Amino acid sequence: MNYFPDEVLEHVFDFITSHKDRNSVSLVCKSWYKIERYSRQRVFIGNCYSISPERLIARFPGLKSLTLKGKPHFADFNLVPHDWGGFVYPWIKALAKSRIGLEELRLKRMVVSDESLELLSKSFVNFKSLVLVSCEGFTTDGLAAIAANCRFLRELDLQENEVDDHRGHWLSCFPESCTSLISLNFACLRGEVNLGALERLVSRSPNLKSLRLNRAVPLDTLQKLLMRAPQLVDLGIGSYVHDPFSEAYNKLKIAIQRCKSIRSLSGFLEVAPHCMSAIYPICGNLTFLNLSYAPGLHGNKLMKLIQHCRKLQRLWILDCIGDKGLGVVALTCKELQELRVFPSDPFEAENAAVTEEGLVLVSAGCPKLNSLLYFCQQMTNAALITVAKNCPNFIRFRLCILDPMKPDPVTNQPLDEGFGAIVQSCKGLKRLSLSGHLTDQVFLYIGMYAEQLEMLSIAFAANSDKGMLYVLNGCKKLRKLEIRDCPFGDAALLEDVGKYETMRSLWMSSCEVTLGGCKSVAEKMPSLNVEIIDESEQMEFNLDDKQKVDKMYLYRTLVGHRKDAPEYVWIL
Amino acid sequence: MVFEKELNLDATELRLGLPGSSEESLRISNKRALPDMNDDSGVAAAKKCDQETAPPTKAQVVGWPPIRSYRKNSLQTKKTEAETGGMYVKVSMDGAPYLRKIDLKVYKGYPELFKALEDMFKFKVGKYSEREGYNGSEFVPTYEDKDGDWMLVGDVPWEMFINACKRLRIVRGSEARGLGCVV
């Protein structure tokens, strides 16, 4: 059905950028499939084990940008052993071998070795952008290779990675000829950096828009950097400790005032709270503020700062802001869309400084709120119902009551009705995380109302298999389901195994599913990998099908069993 | 009704481990006895919940709360730095045979610090003035800051001082005169 020559269609497809849309386009007919695949430059792979690098390369020879995700989400919380998998090396090796013109690589929860980074740095002449989120396995030596060899590097963005810091000279490895940097984020590195090299690098990077420093960068260096880069849009401050009466502080004030383009501010990894006034001049323009690594900033100093931030759209903060502080947010930040409140004292539930009150205040004051991550001491049904009424636009709603299974403290009821109100009101809800005391009822509501739900995280909830069944039957768009410590067993798991092929993955740990149940899924669905993770070696000694499985992770795949699983992972 | 007269603590106890096994790993199991469906399940569950939530508040559940390890480690480091270890710094005094260690966090400000140093080393600090430092005293308190420079104690606000101070040295007045001079 080609009314146009291929080049015309290709040009039309250029305007289609979303992965979902391009995937749809490729399904229309053979001819469109062919044109689409040759013109595709950006590919997103949500589970690195769902496809092999060879097949990826075969289908998309023009690949320039690859996004890969490795470990399951619960790996973030230490539920997945270290060497479970998610190695990027085979991907880089395959891409290098086939001479793909890779320019951008974005990885999340993957194991990245120095060897991979070195190979990456030497194999792709036009490599421009490396983004690593929540990865591990590399050291600053690997970063040195990237700095030294990627001549046209524009972006090096390291977010919350565990990096073995050799306190090396990696920053000095950027050659004098490297002037193309647009984004440099090394906030997660714990070691010293060569400050002189940093200053020189920033000086010769006129396009630098985003700079996030680590703790080792002191205030006077910050001031020098800002003087050289007043065009910055995104700034992450390392150390912010200084004497308010010093020359350095005055210089800093001047430097900050020149930075009229800063819209995003983060860091304050070390902070002297009495010196925040230097920041006020840029607060009025901020759209993103991340103070979630600055426990030293709280009370009045914090509130004063927030009061200057009238244009804020995204706020990441620690719970030491308190309900009262959230009230200030509600009064000031009328444009707020995303709020994340992290616990400053994760292991002492009683110390969590925010409750349902803070959330209600924000929901009332910030009608544009659509994304929430909220760690709190307690929650009530009444509050959730109010929030649901105030903010029907939630796309992401993640609530974590620090004390697992805690009921509504006022009524002692489970939080079924509260979460039920959220899913009923927020018709566009795509992601939901539940906590507190919950029965099967909440899952009935979710199955009934959460039509757009794509990701659901459940912990310490439900009474029976019914809970899981309500969700599997009701949520047609479900892609990722992760469950821990719930009484869901084989009956729920096996009710509709075909469903799992429509999803990216299912994680179940500390539930009631048995080895026999998992085997059954694997048998019926060859297109799924069903992995049993068992570090305690119980499986080895007791192959009884009735044995409860500690951790099960299943995912759809086109390439069968992976070959790199460690000993304690059984692929059924 | 399912409410037992006798608190069946075994059944409702939050056990660490799979059912049937004895307490092992750090996992709070959700394997509580399910409330009877005929029961006023909300209340029963809540009652069980009360019993369950009471004991393990101090026990750490693996992977709970759900925050990234990177973030958890960061907070832990900050906490350790800020609270548990205290801010112990070495204190040396010219002529003294051995060094001492003090916890800066313990003092609210310079006066308390000086009193402690005076008691510890049996000397008098002398009067501080911004212009001339500790003029008139035989011994002068100095400290090494994060940059490795030796500074006169007392110039900067207390908070800033304790964050910057790596070690203390009480020098003889004659040596310290340079530090006290206005540049």
Side-chain angles (χ1 to χ4, degrees):
Chain A
M1 74 128 179
N2 258 359
Y3 304 128
F4 307 108
D6 287 0
E7 302 83 60
V8 174
L9 274 174
E10 200 180 304
H11 184 63
V12 171
F13 291 171
D14 272 349
F15 293 99
I16 302 171
T17 47
S18 112
H19 293 292
K20 279 190 188 154
D21 290 343
R22 288 206 71 122
N23 291 345
S24 305
V25 157
S26 68
L27 292 173
V28 168
C29 64
K30 278 203 179 121
S31 156
W32 280 37
Y33 176 87
K34 192 183 105 202
I35 298 169
E36 198 282 320
R37 73 177 256 256
Y38 279 113
S39 63
R40 177 101 94 162
Q41 294 186 341
R42 316 179 69 86
V43 175
F44 168 86
I45 295 178
N47 174 6
C48 64
Y49 290 118
S50 61
I51 190 74
S52 70
E54 290 75 23
R55 282 181 66 163
L56 172 74
I57 293 163
R59 180 168 168 192
F60 300 116
L63 184 66
K64 291 211 168 91
S65 162
L66 177 61
T67 304
L68 278 174
K69 291 189 180 181
K71 302 185 196 180
H73 177 229
F74 275 359
D76 275 348
F77 319 133
N78 287 339
L79 285 174
V80 175
H82 254 303
D83 43 349
W84 169 86
F87 307 104
V88 78
Y89 187 78
W91 291 84
I92 298 180
K93 189 158 154 223
L95 290 164
K97 197 160 150 213
S98 60
R99 299 179 195 285
I100 289 274
L102 193 68
E103 295 184 11
E104 179 177 286
L105 187 61
R106 309 167 76 93
L107 306 176
K108 188 168 185 181
R109 278 190 290 273
M110 293 201 72
V111 178
V112 181
S113 61
D114 281 346
E115 206 189 1
S116 332
L117 290 176
E118 200 172 319
L119 182 60
L120 177 67
S121 73
K122 292 184 173 155
S123 310
F124 308 104
V125 173
N126 283 324
F127 193 74
K128 296 194 170 74
S129 167
L130 180 63
V131 181
L132 302 177
V133 180
S134 243
C135 295
E136 47 156 357
F138 60 103
T139 76
T140 43
D141 294 346
L143 298 178
I146 297 287
N149 303 324
C150 300
R151 295 167 56 211
F152 304 113
L153 195 69
R154 290 194 195 161
E155 181 175 24
L156 179 59
D157 186 359
L158 308 171
Q159 298 177 29
E160 300 191 331
N161 302 290
E162 294 290 352
V163 185
D164 202 354
D165 199 325
H166 291 168
R167 279 157 186 67
H169 52 286
W170 69 275
L171 259 179
S172 321
C173 292
F174 281 103
E176 288 301 311
S177 55
C178 176
T179 56
S180 47
L181 271 182
I182 298 179
S183 166
L184 178 63
N185 171 8
F186 60 93
C188 65
L189 295 185
R190 300 191 205 271
E192 306 295 316
V193 286
N194 185 328
L195 299 176
L198 176 60
E199 286 174 43
R200 288 190 296 277
L201 179 62
V202 170
S203 294
R204 64 176 187 274
S205 304
N207 298 321
L208 194 67
K209 291 281 187 293
S210 168
L211 179 63
R212 296 193 185 188
L213 311 167
N214 76 346
R215 271 184 90 157
V217 180
L219 195 102
D220 53 336
T221 305
L222 171 66
Q223 177 262 323
K224 290 185 199 153
L225 295 172
L226 291 179
M227 289 302 282
R228 288 169 169 77
Q231 76 283 2
L232 282 178
V233 171
D234 168 29
L235 174 65
I237 290 179
S239 175
Y240 195 74
V241 178
H242 54 91
D243 174 1
F245 304 111
S246 68
E247 184 59 26
Y249 183 62
N250 281 327
K251 282 189 180 171
L252 179 73
K253 275 202 230 177
I254 297 170
I256 290 183
Q257 277 168 5
R258 290 178 72 222
C259 298
K260 302 199 186 297
S261 306
I262 294 183
R263 298 286 173 270
S264 160
L265 189 60
S266 60
F268 295 97
L269 306 174
E270 267 182 7
V271 61
H274 46 274
C275 304
M276 295 311 285
S277 54
I279 304 288
Y280 294 163
I282 54 170
C283 285
N285 288 326
L286 289 180
T287 56
F288 176 43
L289 179 61
N290 181 355
L291 297 175
S292 65
Y293 282 100
L297 201 52
H298 50 261
N300 287 331
K301 301 281 190 302
L302 175 57
M303 288 198 231
K304 263 198 101 175
L305 182 69
I306 302 245
Q307 276 167 335
H308 283 83
C309 303
R310 307 203 143 266
K311 289 196 190 157
L312 221 51
Q313 293 174 13
R314 296 165 61 212
L315 175 63
W316 294 20
I317 198 91
L318 287 171
D319 65 0
C320 42
I321 190 175
D323 287 332
K324 211 170 127 212
L326 289 176
V328 173
V329 172
L331 286 174
T332 313
C333 310
K334 296 302 181 187
E335 301 299 312
L336 198 69
Q337 294 175 28
E338 176 179 320
L339 175 67
R340 296 196 190 190
V341 181
F342 295 95
S344 46
D345 200 348
F347 300 113
E348 297 292 324
E350 310 94 61
N351 290 350
V354 296
T355 68
E356 75 277 12
E357 289 180 17
L359 183 59
V360 169
L361 287 172
V362 175
S363 74
C366 309
K368 295 188 182 179
L369 198 64
N370 62 37
S371 176
L372 181 75
L373 173 61
Y374 197 73
F375 286 84
C376 59
Q377 203 192 90
Q378 63 183 45
M379 186 52 58
T380 64
N381 283 310
L384 284 174
I385 291 169
T386 305
V387 169
K389 227 183 295 183
N390 291 338
C391 296
N393 299 317
F394 274 114
I395 301 175
R396 274 169 244 111
F397 192 87
R398 294 153 72 188
L399 186 69
C400 177
I401 302 164
L402 284 169
D403 198 351
M405 296 180 288
K406 187 168 178 159
D408 179 330
V410 171
T411 62
N412 249 333
Q413 295 295 307
L415 292 172
D416 302 334
E417 297 307 309
F419 279 106
I422 294 285
V423 294
Q424 203 175 350
S425 164
C426 304
K427 310 219 184 296
L429 194 69
K430 287 193 180 168
R431 182 168 179 184
L432 179 64
S433 298
L434 307 168
S435 60
H437 180 44
L438 298 162
T439 72
D440 288 344
Q441 184 68 11
V442 71
F443 299 105
L444 175 66
Y445 291 140
I446 292 174
M448 265 171 69
Y449 295 113
E451 292 176 8
Q452 302 300 318
L453 196 66
E454 294 180 7
M455 181 169 176
L456 180 62
S457 309
I458 311 172
F460 303 103
N463 314 96
S464 74
D465 285 333
K466 282 200 211 156
M468 186 164 163
L469 288 170
Y470 290 143
V471 172
L472 291 176
N473 291 332
C475 301
K476 300 293 175 209
K477 297 207 174 169
L478 196 63
R479 292 190 298 117
K480 287 182 282 185
L481 180 58
E482 44 187 29
I483 305 169
R484 63 165 294 178
D485 294 89
C486 295
F488 301 143
D490 293 341
L493 180 68
L494 294 170
E495 165 93 357
D496 177 13
V497 292
K499 170 85 177 171
Y500 305 133
E501 216 174 31
T502 70
M503 292 166 54
R504 184 188 297 175
S505 64
L506 168 67
W507 167 283
M508 293 180 76
S509 59
S510 305
C511 296
E512 305 276 330
V513 293
T514 68
L515 182 57
C518 296
K519 279 186 184 172
S520 202
V521 178
E523 229 173 78
K524 294 185 184 158
M525 300 291 297
S527 58
L528 301 176
N529 275 354
V530 181
E531 298 192 5
I532 309 290
I533 300 167
D534 177 39
E535 290 172 284
S536 65
E537 289 168 36
Q538 276 178 344
M539 291 285 145
E540 271 190 51
F541 300 118
N542 185 357
L543 297 178
D544 180 6
D545 277 3
K546 292 203 200 46
Q547 170 87 359
K548 295 256 167 74
V549 160
D550 190 25
K551 294 173 184 167
M552 178 206 74
Y553 179 55
L554 65 80
Y555 51 90
R556 67 181 175 192
T557 177
L558 293 175
V559 290
H561 291 187
R562 60 184 175 113
K563 309 279 185 297
D564 61 0
E567 268 181 12
Y568 54 79
V569 172
W570 262 27
I571 308 184
L572 298 178
Chain B
M1 290 300 246
V2 172
F3 303 108
E4 299 105 297
K5 293 274 155 61
E6 217 176 272
L7 291 173
N8 190 353
L9 285 174
D10 266 319
T12 57
E13 179 188 87
L14 264 171
R15 303 169 64 244
L16 307 174
L18 293 169
S21 67
S22 48
E23 43 274 278
E24 290 279 294
S25 50
L26 289 171
R27 264 188 316 111
I28 292 187
S29 153
N30 198 38
K31 320 279 191 274
R32 56 179 188 259
L34 302 174
D36 196 302
M37 280 305 148
N38 296 327
D39 185 0
D40 184 357
S41 56
V43 188
K47 263 205 154 63
K48 287 186 169 41
C49 210
D50 278 334
Q51 291 160 9
E52 281 156 351
T53 49
T57 358
K58 299 300 175 192
Q60 285 188 21
V61 185
V62 170
W64 193 266
I67 60 176
R68 275 191 187 157
S69 334
Y70 174 82
R71 184 177 284 280
K72 243 184 228 182
N73 294 339
S74 286
L75 287 175
Q76 223 114 49
T77 317
K78 289 205 171 138
K79 231 188 143 176
T80 316
E81 278 173 10
E83 290 169 22
T84 43
M87 275 183 160
Y88 279 95
V89 295
K90 288 184 189 172
V91 190
S92 62
M93 171 142 134
D94 292 350
Y98 47 79
L99 282 64
R100 303 297 301 271
K101 250 196 174 167
I102 58 172
D103 179 359
L104 292 177
K105 279 249 148 193
V106 162
Y107 309 107
K108 294 202 189 63
Y110 289 118
E112 284 98 340
L113 172 66
F114 291 151
K115 177 98 184 10
L117 290 175
E118 285 171 345
D119 284 342
M120 203 181 254
F121 289 98
K122 312 279 183 286
F123 75 105
K124 277 269 171 236
V125 166
K127 205 159 186 307
Y128 170 79
S129 73
E130 209 178 289
R131 205 163 167 275
E132 293 179 358
Y134 293 92
N135 221 7
S137 49
E138 209 199 319
F139 289 99
V140 177
T142 66
Y143 70 99
E144 186 184 4
D145 73 359
K146 285 187 172 157
D147 294 328
D149 297 321
W150 284 95
M151 318 285 292
L152 190 70
V153 173
D155 284 336
V156 301
W158 176 252
E159 279 292 325
M160 185 166 308
F161 163 71
I162 60 175
N163 279 314
C165 174
K166 276 171 54 187
R167 59 185 297 174
L168 283 163
R169 185 179 157 212
I170 302 169
V171 303
R172 287 197 190 286
S174 47
E175 283 176 39
R177 212 141 284 146
L179 284 172
C181 284
V182 174
V183 176

